[in-house]
Amino acid sequence: QEQLVQSGGGLVQPGGSLRLSCAASGATLDSACIGWFRQAPGKEREGVALFNRRDSRTYLHFADSVQGRFSASRDNTKNTAYLQMNSLKPEDTGLYYCAASFQSLCALQPWAMDYWGKGTLVTVSS
């Protein structure tokens, strides 16, 4: 059974950086659509980043709120996906989830994902 194990969250000052990891077991990520989502207290879960690489083509999509500050990648040798977060702001605080889809549709929507990590907390505060 596919499992996604997350790590890398923590407390960081505004302007700082964090890298979140999402390690998969039970299936390989090399053909998966990877989504990153976050949920702030009292708010709905929102899509942050989408990474898809198939047939030697890489597709990336980021929410407007993180465009230019976040990047996403995948290391097939480690079966792990990453979300690099730079220039962090207090409004980036939340519980961050990675998710994977092995369907033909790759969309940054919770309903489009098949498997989910348990989440890792990111707190941006001085």
Side-chain angles (χ1 to χ4, degrees), residues 35-126:
W36 291 91
F37 299 81
R38 69 185 179 190
Q39 188 163 17
K43 295 188 176 181
E44 293 186 353
R45 189 172 300 188
E46 64 171 344
V48 174
L50 191 68
F51 176 95
N52 192 21
R53 185 170 184 178
R54 294 177 180 173
D55 300 326
S56 300
R57 294 183 179 181
T58 300
Y59 175 78
L60 289 167
H61 172 74
F62 297 93
D64 290 344
S65 58
V66 306
Q67 182 72 45
R69 300 187 296 119
F70 289 15
S71 62
S73 62
R74 184 175 68 202
D75 186 337
N76 291 340
T77 64
K78 297 181 179 180
N79 209 25
T80 300
Y82 302 96
L83 181 69
Q84 177 67 42
M85 307 184 295
N86 299 325
S87 302
L88 283 161
K89 304 175 181 181
E91 51 264 43
D92 293 319
T93 294
L95 194 57
Y96 281 70
Y97 298 89
C98 68
S101 168
F102 296 91
Q103 309 302 320
S104 57
L105 175 66
C106 184
L108 191 56
Q109 295 290 341
W111 53 259
M113 297 294 155
D114 299 318
Y115 301 97
W116 290 83
K118 293 184 177 180
T120 185
L121 183 62
V122 172
T123 304
V124 185
S125 175
S126 55

